[in-house]
Each structure stands twice: as C-alpha cells, then as structure tokens.
C-alpha cells in the first residue's frame, strides 16, 4: 500500500495535475460532510438523508467523470446557478464560518459542469479555512464586460498567511477552470482577506462568436 501511495504522489512531468491526488483532494470535503451528518442524531432526518444523497450523487459523478477521462463532461451551455448553490450547500455542511451566496436564479455560461464544480469547491474550501470559525465567506455570481464570474471572498488574514493542507487546491482550480476555457485570478481583498475569481464566457456570447 505504501508503494502505491508513493507512486500516486510522484510529481507529474510537465507540471500537469496529478489526477489521482487531485481526485482524493476533491473527495475529502464531501466525505467529511457525509460522516458528520451520518454521525449525528439531532436534526431533521429526512433533510439529512437528502443532503447525504446529494453529496453521494456528486461524488459518483466526479468519480465517473475522472474514470472516463472527462468524456462525459463536455464543454457546453451550463446553468451555473444551481451548480454553485450545490457546492455552497455541500461546503456549508461542515463549515464553521458563515457562508453566503448571492446571484441570479439562472446564469448560463460555457463550461464543463463537473470541472467547474470542482474548481468552485476548491476555492470555497480555501476561503472557509482562511475565514476560520468566526469569519465570513461570500460567494457571488455576476456578469460584467469581461464575462460571467463566480467570486469567492473571505475575511481571513490574507494571501500567503494561511497554511495549506496540500499543494493541490489552486493547481486543481486552475486546471479545472482551464478545462472550461475560462480564467482564474486570486488577489487580496479591499478590506483584507482574499478574493478568488473564476471568469467564464457567457453561453450567448459563445453562440454569437461561433
């Protein structure tokens, strides 16, 4: 087993993302949420089962996509509103800080659904860790002249001041956003903390351009 893990953890030539390690990285948070929900007696049982089912369904989609080398996760018109809402709901299950979501009920972009959800989950996980138990994280969806954005802002100590658990979060994010033909930026917030911004091409703009 140790030899297998060592093989998985070897650097990938050319700086490409290590698929196995990236998958394990993305599995961690949903599995933690499932274990937390399954291990508590308090709360609405039907609601807990609904959340656990949602987490398990997303995990199944993720694993299937990776095993099929993303053949089922094609770039296309995607409504990111429910996608981002689902990511926020999964993360909020185990988050100790306040997480808010702002944006329209529907927002069509050009993206790969599973890849985009992985990217948003990674930046949200980083923001939640940076904010800490008493902090705040804001997720905002909006459109401007540059495209459609998913912006994640935290009120943590700022860039470079939060120890990372692995080296895969930002690497995975950049790879997944690139797979959606989008762009990713990380910068300091105006009042401290950090802002992670994923920018994607609107579905209508893509149709006009093509």
């Amino acid at each position: 087993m140790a030899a297998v893990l060592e093989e998985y953890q070897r650097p990938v030539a050319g700086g490409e993302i290590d698929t196995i390690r990236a998958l394990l990285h993305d599995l961690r948070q949903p599995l933690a949420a499932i274990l937390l929900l399954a291990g508590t007696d308090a709360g609405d049982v039907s609601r807990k089962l609904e959340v656990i089912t949602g987490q398990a369904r997303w995990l199944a989609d993720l694993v299937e996509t990776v095993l099929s080398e993303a053949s089922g996760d094609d770039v296309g018109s995607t409504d990111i509103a429910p996608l981002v809402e689902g990511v926020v709901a999964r993360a909020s299950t185990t988050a100790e800080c306040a997480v808010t979501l702002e944006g329209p009920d529907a927002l069509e972009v050009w993206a790969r659904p599973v890849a985009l959800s992985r990217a948003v989950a990674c930046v949200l996980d980083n923001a939640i860790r940076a904010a800490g138990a008493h902090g705040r994280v804001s997720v905002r969806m909006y459109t401007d002249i540059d495209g459609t954005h998913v912006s994640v802002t935290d009120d943590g100590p700022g860039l470079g001041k939060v120890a990372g658990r692995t080296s895969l979060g930002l690497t995975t994010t950049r790879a997944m956003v690139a797979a959606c033909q989008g762009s990713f930026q990380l910068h300091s917030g105006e009042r401290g903390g950090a802002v992670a911004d994923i920018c994607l091409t609107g579905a209508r703009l893509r149709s006009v351009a093509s």
Side-chain angles (χ1 to χ4, degrees):
M1 182 64 178
V4 173
L5 289 176
E6 181 180 358
E7 179 66 26
Y8 284 165
Q9 294 172 358
R10 289 180 183 176
V12 178
E16 295 179 359
I17 190 169
D18 184 326
T19 303
I20 299 298
R21 292 189 66 209
L23 175 60
L24 294 176
H25 174 275
D26 291 353
L27 292 178
R28 181 179 54 200
Q29 191 278 328
L31 288 174
I34 290 173
L35 290 172
L36 177 64
L37 289 168
T40 58
D41 296 326
D44 185 335
V45 174
S46 61
R47 173 57 181 164
K48 288 198 297 183
L49 288 175
E50 179 183 346
V51 175
I52 288 173
T53 300
Q55 298 272 17
R57 184 177 296 112
W58 187 83
L59 288 173
D61 289 343
L62 172 58
V63 172
E64 181 61 31
T65 298
V66 172
L67 289 177
S68 62
E69 298 181 348
S71 61
D73 191 37
D74 298 326
V75 177
S77 181
T78 303
D79 183 358
I80 65 169
L83 183 152
V84 174
E85 182 180 355
V87 173
V88 171
R90 288 193 296 270
S92 298
T93 303
T94 55
E96 295 181 330
C97 64
V99 182
T100 60
L101 173 61
E102 176 186 351
D105 294 331
L107 195 55
E108 293 286 333
V109 302
W110 200 254
R112 297 177 186 269
V114 177
L116 181 58
S117 67
R118 293 177 68 183
V120 176
C122 282
V123 295
L124 185 54
D125 179 62
N126 286 343
I128 289 171
R129 289 192 297 108
H134 304 293
R136 296 184 64 83
V137 172
S138 171
V139 182
R140 182 177 172 228
M141 298 177 289
Y142 66 96
T143 298
D144 63 13
I145 192 171
D146 295 321
T148 297
H149 300 258
V150 179
S151 181
V152 180
T153 304
D154 67 70
D155 62 358
L159 295 178
K161 298 180 181 179
V162 180
R165 288 182 294 191
T166 72
S167 61
L168 292 174
L170 292 180
T171 302
T172 300
T173 299
R174 295 186 189 283
M176 295 300 103
V177 173
C180 296
Q181 301 176 10
S183 62
F184 173 69
Q185 292 185 348
L186 182 64
H187 58 86
S188 297
E190 294 181 359
R191 300 181 181 179
V195 180
D197 183 76
I198 297 170
C199 184
L200 303 157
T201 302
R204 290 184 179 179
L205 291 178
R206 180 74 183 212
S207 298
V208 171
S210 59

